[in-house]
Coordinates of all heavy atoms in Angstrom, one line a residue:
P1 N 0.8 -1.2 0.0 CA 0.0 0.0 0.0 C 0.9 1.3 0.0 O 2.0 1.2 0.4 CB -0.8 -0.1 1.3 CG 0.0 -1.0 2.2 CD 0.8 -1.9 1.3
S2 N 0.3 2.3 -0.5 CA 1.0 3.6 -0.5 C 1.2 4.1 0.9 O 0.5 3.7 1.8 CB 0.3 4.6 -1.4 OG -1.0 4.9 -0.8
K3 N 2.1 5.1 1.0 CA 2.4 5.7 2.3 C 1.2 6.4 2.8 O 0.9 6.4 4.0 CB 3.6 6.6 2.2 CG 4.9 5.8 1.9 CD 6.1 6.8 1.9 CE 7.4 6.1 1.6 NZ 8.5 7.0 1.6
T4 N 0.5 7.1 1.9 CA -0.7 7.9 2.3 C -1.8 6.9 2.9 O -2.4 7.2 3.9 CB -1.2 8.7 1.1 OG1 -0.2 9.5 0.6 CG2 -2.4 9.5 1.5
F5 N -2.0 5.8 2.2 CA -3.0 4.8 2.6 C -2.6 4.2 4.0 O -3.4 4.1 4.9 CB -3.2 3.8 1.6 CG -4.2 2.7 1.9 CD1 -5.6 3.0 1.7 CD2 -3.9 1.5 2.5 CE1 -6.5 2.0 2.0 CE2 -4.8 0.6 2.8 CZ -6.1 0.8 2.6
A6 N -1.3 3.8 4.1 CA -0.9 3.2 5.4 C -0.9 4.2 6.5 O -1.1 3.8 7.7 CB 0.6 2.7 5.2
S7 N -0.6 5.5 6.3 CA -0.6 6.4 7.4 C -2.0 6.6 8.0 O -2.2 7.0 9.1 CB -0.1 7.8 6.9 OG -0.9 8.3 5.9
A8 N -3.1 6.3 7.2 CA -4.4 6.5 7.7 C -4.7 5.4 8.8 O -5.6 5.6 9.6 CB -5.4 6.4 6.6
F9 N -4.0 4.3 8.8 CA -4.2 3.3 9.8 C -3.0 3.1 10.8 O -2.9 2.1 11.4 CB -4.5 1.9 9.1 CG -5.6 2.0 8.1 CD1 -5.3 2.3 6.8 CD2 -6.9 1.7 8.5 CE1 -6.4 2.3 5.8 CE2 -7.9 1.8 7.6 CZ -7.7 2.1 6.2
A10 N -2.2 4.1 10.8 CA -1.0 4.0 11.7 C -1.3 3.9 13.1 O -0.7 3.2 13.9 CB -0.1 5.2 11.4
G11 N -2.3 4.6 13.6 CA -2.7 4.5 15.1 C -3.6 3.4 15.5 O -4.0 3.4 16.7
M12 N -3.9 2.6 14.6 CA -4.9 1.5 14.9 C -4.1 0.2 15.2 O -3.1 -0.1 14.6 CB -5.9 1.3 13.8 CG -6.7 2.5 13.5 SD -7.8 2.3 12.1 CE -8.9 1.0 12.7
K13 N -4.6 -0.6 16.2 CA -4.0 -1.9 16.5 C -5.0 -3.0 16.1 O -6.2 -2.9 16.2 CB -3.8 -2.0 18.0 CG -2.7 -1.0 18.6 CD -2.5 -1.2 20.1 CE -1.5 -0.2 20.6 NZ -1.2 -0.4 22.0
P14 N -4.4 -4.1 15.6 CA -5.3 -5.2 15.1 C -6.0 -5.8 16.3 O -5.4 -6.0 17.4 CB -4.3 -6.2 14.4 CG -3.0 -5.8 15.0 CD -3.0 -4.4 15.3
K15 N -7.2 -6.1 16.2 CA -8.0 -6.7 17.2 C -7.7 -8.2 17.3 O -7.6 -8.9 16.3 CB -9.5 -6.5 17.0 CG -9.9 -5.0 17.1 CD -11.4 -4.9 17.0 CE -11.8 -3.4 17.1 NZ -13.3 -3.3 17.0
A16 N -7.6 -8.7 18.6 CA -7.4 -10.2 18.7 C -8.7 -10.9 18.5 O -9.8 -10.4 18.7 CB -6.9 -10.5 20.1
A17 N -8.6 -12.2 18.1 CA -9.7 -13.0 17.8 C -10.4 -13.3 19.1 O -9.8 -13.4 20.2 CB -9.3 -14.3 17.1
P18 N -11.7 -13.5 19.2 CA -12.4 -13.8 20.4 C -11.9 -15.1 21.0 O -11.4 -16.0 20.3 CB -13.9 -13.9 20.0 CG -14.0 -13.1 18.7 CD -12.6 -13.3 18.1
A19 N -12.0 -15.2 22.4 CA -11.4 -16.4 23.1 C -12.2 -17.7 22.6 O -11.7 -18.8 22.6 CB -11.5 -16.2 24.6
S20 N -13.5 -17.5 22.3 CA -14.3 -18.7 21.9 C -13.7 -19.3 20.7 O -13.8 -20.5 20.4 CB -15.7 -18.3 21.8 OG -15.8 -17.2 20.8
Y21 N -13.1 -18.4 19.8 CA -12.5 -19.0 18.5 C -11.3 -19.7 18.8 O -11.0 -20.7 18.2 CB -12.3 -17.8 17.6 CG -13.5 -17.1 17.1 CD1 -13.4 -15.9 16.4 CD2 -14.8 -17.7 17.3 CE1 -14.5 -15.2 15.9 CE2 -15.9 -17.0 16.9 CZ -15.8 -15.8 16.2 OH -16.9 -15.2 15.7
R22 N -10.4 -19.2 19.8 CA -9.1 -19.8 20.1 C -9.3 -21.1 20.8 O -8.5 -22.0 20.7 CB -8.2 -18.9 20.8 CG -7.9 -17.6 20.1 CD -6.8 -16.8 20.7 NE -7.1 -16.5 22.1 CZ -7.7 -15.3 22.5 NH1 -8.1 -14.4 21.5 NH2 -8.0 -15.1 23.7
K23 N -10.3 -21.3 21.7 CA -10.5 -22.4 22.5 C -11.6 -23.4 22.1 O -12.1 -24.2 22.8 CB -10.8 -22.0 24.0 CG -9.7 -21.1 24.6 CD -10.1 -20.7 26.0 CE -9.0 -19.9 26.7 NZ -9.4 -19.4 28.0
A24 N -11.9 -23.3 20.8 CA -12.9 -24.2 20.3 C -12.5 -25.6 20.4 O -11.3 -25.9 19.9 CB -13.3 -23.8 18.9
P25 N -13.2 -26.6 21.0 CA -12.8 -28.0 21.1 C -12.7 -28.6 19.7 O -13.5 -28.3 18.8 CB -13.9 -28.6 21.9 CG -15.1 -27.8 21.7 CD -14.6 -26.4 21.6
A26 N -11.8 -29.5 19.6 CA -11.7 -30.3 18.3 C -12.8 -31.3 18.2 O -13.3 -31.8 19.1 CB -10.3 -31.0 18.2
L27 N -13.2 -31.5 17.0 CA -14.3 -32.5 16.7 C -13.8 -33.9 17.0 O -12.7 -34.2 16.6 CB -14.7 -32.3 15.3 CG -15.4 -31.0 14.9 CD1 -15.8 -31.0 13.4 CD2 -16.7 -30.8 15.8
Q28 N -14.6 -34.7 17.7 CA -14.2 -36.1 18.0 C -14.9 -37.0 17.0 O -16.1 -36.8 16.6 CB -14.7 -36.4 19.4 CG -14.0 -35.6 20.5 CD -12.5 -35.8 20.6 OE1 -12.0 -36.9 20.3 NE2 -11.8 -34.8 20.9
P29 N -14.2 -38.0 16.6 CA -14.8 -38.9 15.6 C -16.0 -39.7 16.3 O -15.9 -40.1 17.4 CB -13.7 -39.9 15.2 CG -12.7 -39.8 16.4 CD -12.8 -38.4 16.9
V30 N -17.0 -39.8 15.6 CA -18.2 -40.5 16.1 C -18.2 -42.0 15.6 O -17.9 -42.2 14.5 CB -19.5 -39.8 15.6 CG1 -20.7 -40.6 16.1 CG2 -19.5 -38.4 16.1
R31 N -18.4 -42.9 16.6 CA -18.3 -44.3 16.2 C -19.4 -44.6 15.2 O -20.6 -44.3 15.3 CB -18.5 -45.2 17.5 CG -18.1 -46.6 17.3 CD -18.2 -47.3 18.7 NE -17.6 -48.6 18.6 CZ -16.3 -48.9 18.7 NH1 -15.4 -47.8 18.9 NH2 -15.8 -50.1 18.7
G32 N -19.0 -45.3 14.2 CA -19.9 -45.7 13.1 C -20.0 -44.6 12.0 O -20.6 -44.9 11.0
Q33 N -19.3 -43.5 12.1 CA -19.3 -42.5 11.1 C -17.8 -42.1 10.8 O -17.0 -42.1 11.6 CB -20.0 -41.2 11.5 CG -21.5 -41.4 11.6 CD -22.2 -40.1 12.0 OE1 -21.5 -39.1 12.4 NE2 -23.5 -40.0 11.8

């Protein structure tokens, strides 16, 4: 991106993903499927 475009977002910090997304349990295999 150009310097002008990047400077418009210079003071913003990226938001972290919600905790529910990071701690989502892994899917367990179901017997018979």
